[in-house]
Amino acid sequence: IIVNRKVKKADPNEVPGTLLNIAELLVEFVDGLVVSNMGAKHAPKFRNYIGVLGCFLIVSNLSGLFGLRAPTSDFGVTLPLALITWVMIQVNGFKYQKMGKIKGLFEPIFLFFPINLISEFATPVSMSLRLFGNILSGSVMLTLVYGLLPKVATLIWPAALHAYLDVFSGAIQAYVFMMLTMVFVADAIGAEAAE
């Protein structure tokens, strides 16, 4: 909201401020990421979803820095995110591959149908469990550290753990979820994604 107001009030003839430069850098990073993974033709359709997904995951994963429980350490949050991505994968698969999507379940030979079908339904489970498990394990580890250390030691020692478990690991998990979303959707689109 703040960036939106600043963009509306910005004079195109003047040098933008620090906040607008940071916002532009983030938008260009997400645009470049989506274009490089999904192709220039399909990137405009998905960049908003990927950008919002990334912002939500970063804010959620970093909320532990403020003493809050990360929303992504709850499976009730990560499963719907993965299901939304899974529906997007299926819709784009049928939109671009038509009946080839169903035909692909029987390839390379008919006997692989059960394995391919399980693979389709395992995608949202694996994506949600990966995010949930990594964030929850970091929260549990920090809770144990705070519970086991004397009060004086908790002022200094956990800072390094927060830097790794909240900042680094949280950013990596957001990036991985975004990348998996782009790769799975691009794979569902098929050969057109490479254009």
Side-chain angles (χ1 to χ4, degrees), residues 25-190:
L25 180 72
L26 291 173
V27 168
E28 286 179 358
F29 170 75
V30 171
D31 283 349
L33 192 67
V34 176
V35 167
S36 67
N37 285 291
M38 303 186 83
K41 179 179 178 183
H42 297 287
K45 299 175 200 169
F46 299 102
R47 73 174 67 154
N48 290 338
Y49 174 70
I50 299 298
V52 168
L53 182 66
C55 288
F56 175 76
L57 290 173
I58 288 287
V59 169
S60 294
N61 295 347
L62 295 181
S63 63
L65 290 174
F66 305 105
L68 303 171
R69 182 171 181 258
T72 46
S73 67
D74 184 356
F75 193 62
V77 173
T78 60
L79 182 61
L81 289 174
L83 287 173
I84 291 168
T85 296
W86 184 76
V87 168
M88 189 181 296
I89 293 166
Q90 301 309 314
V91 166
N92 283 290
F94 283 108
K95 180 178 178 181
Y96 291 101
Q97 295 180 22
K98 311 252 185 286
M99 292 309 290
K101 176 76 173 158
I102 294 174
K103 182 183 160 202
L105 293 174
F106 296 96
E107 292 178 351
I109 58 174
F110 181 78
L111 296 174
F112 282 108
F113 172 73
I115 296 170
N116 291 335
L117 189 64
I118 290 169
S119 173
E120 286 292 321
F121 287 102
T123 300
V125 175
S126 68
M127 286 180 71
S128 60
L129 285 175
R130 178 183 292 114
L131 179 60
F132 163 70
N134 284 306
I135 301 304
L136 180 66
S137 65
S139 299
V140 168
M141 288 171 56
L142 284 170
T143 302
L144 289 172
V145 166
Y146 279 115
L148 295 174
L149 288 177
K151 294 293 182 201
V152 176
T154 60
L155 298 175
I156 298 168
W157 171 247
L161 291 175
H162 274 292
Y164 176 75
L165 295 172
D166 286 335
V167 179
F168 180 72
S169 181
I172 290 293
Q173 292 309 314
Y175 181 76
V176 166
F177 199 93
M178 290 167 57
M179 288 298 293
L180 287 172
T181 298
M182 290 184 284
V183 168
F184 286 142
V185 172
D187 186 48
I189 290 172

